[in-house]
Amino acid sequence: MNKRDYYEILGVSKTASEAEIKSAFRKLAKKYHPDVSKEPNAAEKFKEAQEAYAVLSDATQRQKYDQFGHAAFEQGGSGGFDFSGFDFSDIFSDLFGGGFGFSSFGGRERGSRARKGSDRLVGMDLTFEEAAFGTKKTIRLNIDTACEECKGLGGKGEKKCSACGGSGTMTKEQSTLFGTFMTRTTCSTCGGTGHTYEEKCSKCRGTGKIRENKELEVKIPAGVDTGNRLRLAGKGEAGENGGPSGDIYIEFHVGKHALFERDDSDIYLELPITITDAVLGAKVDVPTLFGPVKLSIPAGSKTGDKHRLKGKGLDSPNSSRKGDMYVILDIQVPTKLSKEQKKLFEALKDTKLDDTGAFKTIQKYL
């Protein structure tokens, strides 16, 4: 039975780069790996793809194959390329996250270096006024902190791990129906650090961390809004191998106000006024976050007219800009009138208030 062309198996051209060959094999391995594929011929296709990748990913073997084809690996007219010792662990680790007994190389490098601890995200509710003027709040956390006894290292008297020889990884042969593979896993004795200690820290039991309930007083700057985050540097989870602690991020949710609406640092207020104040003009008291102020309403005002009160908005937590307040007029038409009020409106009706340009335009179409 003639063997299929390796390039055809992987679905790449003969000029394919190393990265393209690796990418093609990853797709096929993910599709046909016997532990995940339900196709009846998955094992055969997976083995075929393995053999093709083992040859084409090696520059020397690929050159032989390009020159002589499958004959380059034939032994006495039978068999083919022997890939039983080929290391596929980096591919399988990428695909399956070590779930099939494979792990990527470099375990000691990743395990032994100091690593920053994890960040924490905490939600915080604020009233409209708390967000406007700033405040202080106390948050309570159950969090890992660096052990003070061992400075977060887990022990005293560092020495090379005897189990892995300081490499941080353990290498072993694993036999499958496709051949024997070399697999590399994180050393369970040192956790991938490559070292152990003469004396394990008794306070943290070698973990380098202590779980604590902590209270932190947080100063909330004026002007924060819903969705804004405040970073507390170095207040998060303890790091690994003496690394720095992570950060805490506080995300705010600001409650609604009975009167005011907010747009960034600006404040909006819908102000009801009487029909007589709108027609004749008036000076009215307007509530603001900083106390009431007088607002002059000009005669002939309409619903929707906007008046700006400079500097009566909010501080911006990220700049020196001060917001403004905008008062939107809303003329209230009375629905219940006393007899006296009704007589006044009836008398007003006879004064031809509809003798303006807008009314005359409408009349043309009636």
Side-chain angles (χ1 to χ4, degrees), residues 51-115:
E51 182 176 329
Y53 175 67
V55 172
L56 299 184
S57 63
D58 183 290
T60 302
Q61 303 297 339
R62 182 177 181 180
Q63 184 178 11
K64 291 180 182 179
Y65 179 73
D66 288 343
Q67 186 173 1
F68 301 108
H70 292 295
F73 311 110
E74 290 178 354
Q75 300 173 357
S78 62
F81 176 72
D82 180 13
F83 63 93
S84 61
F86 191 86
D87 190 349
F88 292 95
S89 62
D90 61 331
I91 295 287
F92 296 140
S93 177
D94 288 345
L95 286 175
F96 306 116
F100 290 84
F102 300 98
S103 65
S104 58
F105 292 118
R108 179 172 184 255
E109 180 183 351
R110 290 196 310 277
S112 60
R113 66 181 176 87
R115 293 197 300 271

